[in-house]
Amino acid sequence: MDYQALAQLLFPDVTETPESLEERFPQRQLPEGAVVTRMAPSPTGFVHLGNLVQGLTAERMAHQSGGVLFLRVEDTDAKREVPGAVEVLLETLKHYGISFDEGATIDGDNGAYGPYRQRQRASIYHVYARKLVSEGMAYPCFATEEELAAMREKQEANKENTGYYGKYAMWRDRSMEDIQAQIQAGNPWVLRFRSTGSIENQFKFDDLVKGKLTITENDIDHVLLKSDGIPTYHFAHAVDDHLMRTTHVVRGDEWLPTLPFHIQLFKALGFKLPKYVHIGPLMKMDGTSKRKLSKRKDPELALTFYKAEGFPVEAVYEYIMTILNSNFEDWRRANPDIAPQDFKFSPKKLNPAGSLFDYAKLTDVSKNVISKMDAETVCKLLTEWALEFDAEFGAKLAADPAFATAILAIGRGGKKPRKDLSVWKDAKEYMGFFYDEYLQAPVFDEKFSKDTVKTALEKFLLVYDFADDASVWFEKVKAITEEMGFTTDMKAYKADPDAFPGTVADISTMIRLAVTGKTNAPDLHAVMQVLGEEKSRARIQNVINML
């Protein structure tokens, strides 16, 4: 076979050479040890938590080494692509703070190693496809779907490995005349890799997560170019990772079965193999057993879920760091006020078997993260979330941000800040009573008569002074307690509860219910300071009038 003639026949329009591409995409000028890696999702319309886990792993490896993180859109599978999915993908990654140094953007490409969308790189792949054909490492295959299906049926019947290999590779050694006849007839073809491997042979391979692996050689003549001239993932990623000068490939361990072929392909192309970081799946407990998170069963797999629930980006980031590196939690306890980006991340500390996702733990992490934010930040992030997911509530927050900030400042700061909010979705229940539209009618304890409650509220209004500080305010509540025969001595009440109609806590609760409609609310003196004297008095008077 004249492989040069075959290459000219299949790729008559290819004029570029591998050498010219090497010049167009030169080696990056980076510090020694700098990691160049990528996030390379497919635009299927579903951006999941695994994407973020891989993205953060890649981001930390690149940026803490002084390297480069780029975004490449792997859109070679037109059948799976969802219209608008690229925009959804980019916006979601941006929301979660994955900062790319270069790559695909909504407005086009940013960087010198593009295009960063694979369908726009077809001419580049054809240069290397021609090279492989000219060296006898690839060949055209005209097998029909019917022929391939029959081949698979025969292999299954004979209990053989399925695939296009050995004696089943019907176009592997066909003559130039046969190939020319098919092309002249206009029959479609795919380009296949000519494998030199054998499943009888094994070799050792080092993965940065899995450690030392024993790999069986690939013997399948996999497809490199589909009939439309667009490459498969296997071929495209090899060419792209070489020309974009990728040093580390971060991906899910579902790609491990294809690793033998990828190693073989890099070698055939004359490319240096990048280091591989194969991440285990995200797991969850299902009863007493673990299983992989499922798109069909688990809404928490979709990243849109966390945005809709109202988890701050910082909280999701912190939680993912806890499941990526087990020593992050110890580091965080020792460094409570340092940015998580200062943590020294290591891919070698990833769990080879995959990480266990714990929603309750994420919620707890989020609660701590929100508690450390200042009121202005909380108000800004909450308002942004509410305007998108609860427009009416968002409009109220946006109409008077100073008022909303004052509410959110209650109990914030200090060594033991309040931890009322786990997600932004909690905020309406927590602070809604400050707005008259969300104020609920109070329900008082049935053991107290309406007259008792009314008397307590009337006495409070007589002595209430907006200028009182918290201690004076509470002394007045205690005085009312004594006047009504209740007690301020909690020990005495516990010793003989029948001796008193109630305690100072009961009187405080009556006032709290009148002002907030809730038994569980932030410090009441602080609440009334934010509401203002006029509104505080009016609410208490309205309840008195209802009793």
Side-chain angles (χ1 to χ4, degrees):
M1 171 71 76
D2 185 342
Y3 293 125
Q4 291 291 344
L6 179 58
Q8 179 60 30
L9 176 66
L10 298 179
F11 301 101
D13 299 324
V14 172
T15 57
E16 278 194 284
T17 64
E19 291 74 23
S20 66
L21 289 173
E22 292 290 333
E23 290 181 11
R24 200 203 313 178
F25 303 108
Q27 292 291 339
R28 296 174 183 269
Q29 299 303 307
L30 294 170
E32 186 177 350
V35 170
V36 179
T37 187
R38 77 303 201 265
M39 192 170 179
S42 301
T44 59
F46 184 76
V47 190
H48 57 80
L49 197 60
N51 294 137
L52 191 56
V53 167
Q54 292 173 32
L56 281 178
T57 299
E59 188 273 333
R60 285 292 78 211
M61 290 178 65
H63 290 156
Q64 72 183 15
S65 68
V68 173
L69 174 68
F70 63 88
L71 176 65
R72 185 173 71 223
V73 178
E74 300 196 335
D75 56 358
T76 59
D77 191 346
K79 293 179 181 178
R80 295 181 65 219
E81 184 169 348
V82 174
V86 172
E87 288 73 20
V88 171
L89 169 69
L90 294 174
E91 286 293 346
T92 303
L93 295 176
K94 180 181 177 182
H95 175 74
Y96 283 99
I98 303 289
S99 54
F100 295 98
D101 302 295
E102 62 185 56
T105 72
I106 290 176
D107 301 320
D109 283 344
N110 170 41
Y113 289 80
Y116 294 93
R117 289 169 170 81
Q118 287 183 328
R119 290 188 74 83
Q120 296 175 13
R121 297 172 62 84
S123 62
I124 293 174
Y125 305 127
H126 288 185
V127 172
Y128 288 97
R130 180 181 174 122
K131 166 185 163 66
L132 290 175
V133 173
S134 70
E135 294 173 352
M137 295 301 298
Y139 61 92
C141 172
F142 296 88
T144 64
E145 290 294 331
E146 292 75 18
E147 288 174 323
L148 293 174
M151 176 191 77
R152 177 176 285 272
E153 285 181 15
K154 185 175 181 179
Q155 289 169 336
E156 290 174 346
N158 294 339
K159 296 183 178 177
E160 298 173 295
N161 290 334
T162 57
Y164 197 93
Y165 64 93
K167 65 182 181 181
Y168 292 107
M170 58 194 81
W171 279 92
R172 186 183 236 254
D173 297 312
R174 296 289 275 269
S175 68
M176 178 69 87
E177 290 74 18
D178 286 350
I179 293 171
Q180 286 175 324
Q182 291 288 329
I183 289 177
Q184 288 170 2
N187 292 330
W189 54 273
V190 300
L191 189 71
R192 288 186 180 273
F193 181 71
R194 188 187 299 273
S195 175
T196 57
S198 168
I199 58 171
E200 302 298 321
N201 300 331
Q202 293 183 325
F203 60 96
K204 299 293 183 182
F205 180 80
D206 276 332
D207 183 84
L208 289 188
V209 176
K210 305 292 184 182
K212 286 197 178 295
L213 301 173
T214 299
I215 305 286
T216 300
E217 285 185 350
N218 167 66
D219 68 339
I220 303 293
D221 287 5
H222 288 288
V223 174
L224 299 178
L225 292 180
K226 293 174 278 191
S227 58
D228 60 0
I230 297 298
T232 58
Y233 163 80
H234 312 289
F235 188 40
H237 107 277
V239 171
D240 291 344
D241 281 334
H242 172 69
L243 292 180
M244 294 178 181
R245 308 305 175 181
T246 303
T247 64
H248 292 68
V249 171
V250 180
R251 61 187 185 183
D253 65 2
E254 67 271 16
W255 288 105
L256 276 173
T258 66
L259 186 58
F261 173 44
H262 294 166
I263 294 171
Q264 196 177 48
L265 187 54
F266 270 85
K267 184 177 180 181
L269 288 163
F271 298 161
K272 180 182 178 181
L273 190 71
K275 293 185 183 337
Y276 281 92
V277 182
H278 284 99
I279 298 177
L282 285 171
M283 316 287 284
K284 73 176 293 185
M285 295 304 299
D286 193 348
T288 57
S289 61
K290 293 180 185 178
R291 65 167 174 80
K292 288 174 63 174
L293 280 175
S294 159
K295 186 193 315 189
R296 183 172 56 85
K297 295 180 181 178
D298 306 308
E300 65 267 34
L301 185 60
L303 282 186
T304 50
F305 171 83
Y306 299 95
K307 187 177 182 183
E309 287 293 294
F311 283 98
V313 167
E314 294 91 332
V316 178
Y317 187 106
E318 290 245 346
Y319 175 68
I320 288 178
M321 292 306 292
T322 69
I323 63 177
L324 290 180
N325 276 189
S326 57
N327 59 325
F328 177 81
E329 290 184 78
D330 290 337
W331 177 87
R332 172 48 80 210
R333 279 190 285 270
N335 303 278
D337 302 316
I338 296 179
Q341 289 79 4
D342 290 343
F343 170 72
K344 186 66 175 175
F345 172 82
S346 171
K348 293 182 179 179
K349 290 186 180 295
L350 290 164
N351 187 337
S355 302
L356 184 64
F357 176 78
D358 185 340
Y359 186 84
K361 187 173 181 180
L362 167 62
T363 302
D364 194 51
V365 168
S366 185
K367 186 180 293 186
N368 286 327
V369 167
I370 293 175
S371 73
K372 293 177 182 177
M373 294 177 178
D374 59 48
E376 290 76 13
T377 300
V378 173
C379 185
K380 175 181 178 293
L381 296 177
L382 170 60
T383 302
E384 289 173 356
W385 174 85
L387 286 171
E388 183 173 355
F389 296 100
D390 188 343
E392 181 188 273
F393 182 46
K396 291 192 180 301
L397 297 172
D400 191 349
F403 180 56
T405 300
I407 297 169
L408 294 164
I410 296 174
R412 190 162 293 279
K415 291 184 177 180
K416 291 187 177 181
R418 290 183 64 94
K419 296 183 179 181
D420 299 280
L421 304 179
S422 299
V423 290
W424 303 134
K425 189 181 274 190
D426 295 340
K428 190 173 182 180
E429 171 64 23
Y430 166 68
M431 62 188 286
F433 68 84
F434 279 93
Y435 301 92
D436 291 342
E437 296 86 342
Y438 302 134
L439 180 65
Q440 298 176 353
V443 179
F444 295 99
D445 194 322
E446 292 181 353
K447 71 180 181 181
F448 301 116
S449 68
K450 289 184 178 181
D451 285 341
T452 298
V453 175
K454 186 175 183 179
T455 298
L457 298 179
E458 288 173 337
K459 284 180 175 293
F460 178 77
L461 282 185
L462 289 174
V463 298
Y464 173 53
D465 185 341
F466 183 75
D468 289 341
D469 63 20
S471 60
V472 173
W473 181 92
F474 190 54
E475 286 301 321
K476 290 181 176 180
V477 174
K478 287 163 70 176
I480 294 167
T481 300
E482 299 289 354
E483 287 175 25
M484 295 184 63
F486 286 56
T487 183
T488 59
D489 186 341
M490 300 307 291
K491 287 185 180 179
Y493 183 76
K494 285 182 179 179
D496 187 8
D498 294 331
F500 309 96
T503 69
V504 67
D506 295 314
I507 299 298
S508 297
T509 298
M510 294 174 194
I511 302 169
R512 182 183 298 276
L513 278 165
V515 174
T516 70
K518 296 160 61 78
T519 56
N520 183 24
D523 177 77
L524 187 54
H525 176 266
V527 167
M528 296 175 75
Q529 291 297 109
V530 173
L531 279 172
E533 181 172 12
E534 183 178 346
K535 179 161 283 191
S536 296
R537 283 187 174 278
R539 286 189 174 185
I540 295 171
Q541 189 60 57
N542 285 341
V543 173
I544 291 172
N545 295 341
M546 289 165 49
L547 291 169

